[in-house]
Amino acid sequence: MLTRAQVEQARERTAAALDAAGVALTSDERAAIEIVDFGLDVLDEIGLQLVVYVNTERVCAKEIVLFANQTCAEHRHPPFDGTPGKEETFRVRSGLVYLHVEGVPTPDPLAHPARVERGVYTAEREIVLRPGQQHTVPPDTLHWFQAGREGAIMSEFSTQSRDDLDVFTDPEIVRATIVAEVPPQPRP
Amino acid sequence: MLTRAQVEQARERTAAALDAAGVALTSDERAAIEIVDFGLDVLDEIGLQLVVYVNTERVCAKEIVLFANQTCAEHRHPPFDGTPGKEETFRVRSGLVYLHVEGVPTPDPLAHPARVERGVYTAEREIVLRPGQQHTVPPDTLHWFQAGREGAIMSEFSTQSRDDLDVFTDPEIVRATIVAEVPPQPRP
């Protein structure tokens, strides 16, 4: 669970990172930046920040912002409504991302052995993505990723996103962010 | 028809514009920048430049670079293979784009009456897109667009691209770029 102050602070950091990378947002998009802590209460370690540009029945595009060393927990996108599930391409715009995908051999011999202290991970193979590099993850395939020490900005091009259907390896994870409700202050 | 020198010069201008906007390309992407002159031989006036990031059976993403006042000629994406045709979202990253879409009322009272001297255009309604703004064009819907006086960079998020199936309003247009073959120079 995050407090409203934590959400707003994370949105400010996200907007500043996008601004520094030359990514323009409308004020509505700025206000709707999605902060995801996976219900684990360690946002800076395991979490991610999202701007959803478009999400129709056929196409989805997002900008993903990762803080320094932040990890998106391992998950897969299962089939739904007669589709094979979400297919997604990750393209790094700035920073460095260590992408781990089930069944993908490691093409980069310099791969940094990124590790996180907490969580459950089974996809061990690692792909290092630098600015301008990308990788497509097929539907229903386990994957997780972690930013390098300077954080990262990554575009995601995909079929429809149905985050509510994501299957996480760690049974403690809850995909929908819960924000602590603070009782309204009495008027003076 | 373009000469190889024209193609290479346009690629250089495109790569420089993307670099200035902080968009990173791999060297393979740099070498494969698509220069489209629609067979009209007036690239600076009617044409566009493309980097195709991904184009699978389900998802396509491109970066579109437009030179100053350059126009992408009016066309639509018809149904194919049992699909409704290509659905695409245009999102401006830098510069200004005047997007004309069949049947869309003009939401922006400040719309600049962008016009081109040559070509056949029927979609008169105009949407002005500034950095961070976007618009989704449904399948099989006539549309064309023109950059402002400083050029523009625009992301395109869509279903599969089948450029060979595009239907242009101007019957003179040929979508596939033809590059003049220069006979190889004799070795000294």
Side-chain angles (χ1 to χ4, degrees):
Chain A
M1 190 182 294
L2 296 171
T3 66
R4 293 210 175 276
Q6 284 176 311
V7 168
E8 190 42 44
Q9 189 193 36
R11 282 187 176 142
E12 276 174 24
R13 288 174 70 188
T14 302
L18 290 168
D19 190 56
V23 177
L25 299 185
T26 63
S27 54
D28 284 352
E29 288 171 335
R30 163 70 181 77
I33 292 171
E34 192 181 346
I35 310 299
V36 182
D37 80 335
F38 301 108
L40 297 178
D41 261 352
V42 285
L43 177 68
D44 281 358
E45 189 187 339
I46 306 178
L48 79 167
Q49 295 68 233
L50 293 170
V51 177
V52 181
Y53 291 143
V54 59
N55 189 19
T56 73
E57 282 191 10
R58 303 176 72 196
V59 179
C60 180
K62 302 177 181 179
E63 217 76 78
I64 297 172
V65 175
L66 295 167
F67 300 146
N69 303 308
Q70 198 181 28
T71 294
C72 173
E74 184 176 279
H75 62 286
R76 60 185 169 84
H77 305 291
F80 69 95
D81 290 355
T83 75
K86 186 187 181 199
E87 170 196 306
E88 54 194 7
T89 295
F90 296 112
R91 179 180 180 87
V92 169
R93 291 198 174 267
S94 67
L96 199 68
V97 172
Y98 304 100
L99 173 65
H100 300 246
V101 182
E102 176 187 23
V104 172
T106 303
D108 189 331
L110 299 174
H112 173 76
R115 288 289 175 272
V116 287
E117 294 301 314
R118 178 171 171 163
V120 182
Y121 301 89
T122 62
E124 286 290 335
R125 305 305 183 89
E126 185 173 83
I127 301 155
V128 180
L129 297 177
R130 299 177 173 83
Q133 297 182 321
Q134 63 183 42
H135 188 84
T136 299
V137 178
D140 208 17
T141 301
L142 284 171
H143 59 286
W144 62 282
F145 49 84
Q146 182 174 29
R149 64 182 68 180
E150 296 182 0
I153 296 176
M154 189 161 75
S155 299
E156 180 187 298
F157 312 125
S158 74
T159 55
Q160 185 183 20
S161 267
R162 282 287 305 272
D163 297 335
D164 55 311
L165 301 179
D166 291 351
V167 177
F168 286 86
T169 308
D170 183 342
E172 285 185 37
I173 282 180
V174 179
R175 173 61 179 80
T177 301
I178 299 171
V179 179
E181 285 302 330
V182 177
Q185 298 299 308
R187 292 184 181 176
Chain B
M1 190 181 296
L2 297 172
T3 65
R4 293 210 175 276
Q6 284 176 311
V7 169
E8 190 44 43
Q9 188 192 37
R11 283 188 176 142
E12 275 173 26
R13 288 175 69 187
T14 302
L18 290 169
D19 190 56
V23 177
L25 299 185
T26 63
S27 54
D28 284 352
E29 288 170 336
R30 162 71 181 75
I33 291 171
E34 193 181 343
I35 310 299
V36 183
D37 80 336
F38 301 108
L40 297 177
D41 260 353
V42 285
L43 177 67
D44 281 359
E45 188 189 339
I46 306 178
L48 79 166
Q49 296 66 234
L50 294 170
V51 177
V52 180
Y53 291 144
V54 59
N55 188 20
T56 72
E57 283 191 10
R58 302 176 72 195
V59 179
C60 179
K62 303 177 181 179
E63 217 76 79
I64 297 173
V65 175
L66 294 167
F67 301 146
N69 302 309
Q70 199 181 28
T71 294
C72 172
E74 184 175 277
H75 63 286
R76 59 184 169 85
H77 306 290
F80 68 96
D81 291 354
T83 75
K86 187 186 180 199
E87 169 196 308
E88 54 194 8
T89 295
F90 296 112
R91 180 181 179 86
V92 169
R93 292 199 174 266
S94 67
L96 198 68
V97 172
Y98 303 100
L99 173 65
H100 299 247
V101 182
E102 176 186 22
V104 172
T106 303
D108 189 331
L110 299 175
H112 173 76
R115 289 289 175 272
V116 287
E117 294 302 313
R118 177 170 171 162
V120 182
Y121 301 89
T122 62
E124 286 290 335
R125 306 304 183 89
E126 184 172 84
I127 300 155
V128 180
L129 297 177
R130 298 178 174 83
Q133 296 181 323
Q134 63 184 41
H135 187 85
T136 299
V137 178
D140 209 18
T141 302
L142 283 171
H143 60 286
W144 61 282
F145 49 84
Q146 182 175 28
R149 64 182 68 180
E150 296 183 0
I153 297 176
M154 189 161 74
S155 299
E156 179 187 297
F157 312 124
S158 75
T159 55
Q160 184 183 19
S161 267
R162 282 288 303 274
D163 297 335
D164 55 312
L165 301 179
D166 291 352
V167 178
F168 287 86
T169 307
D170 184 342
E172 286 186 37
I173 283 181
V174 180
R175 173 60 179 82
T177 301
I178 299 171
V179 179
E181 286 301 331
V182 177
Q185 298 300 308
R187 291 183 181 177

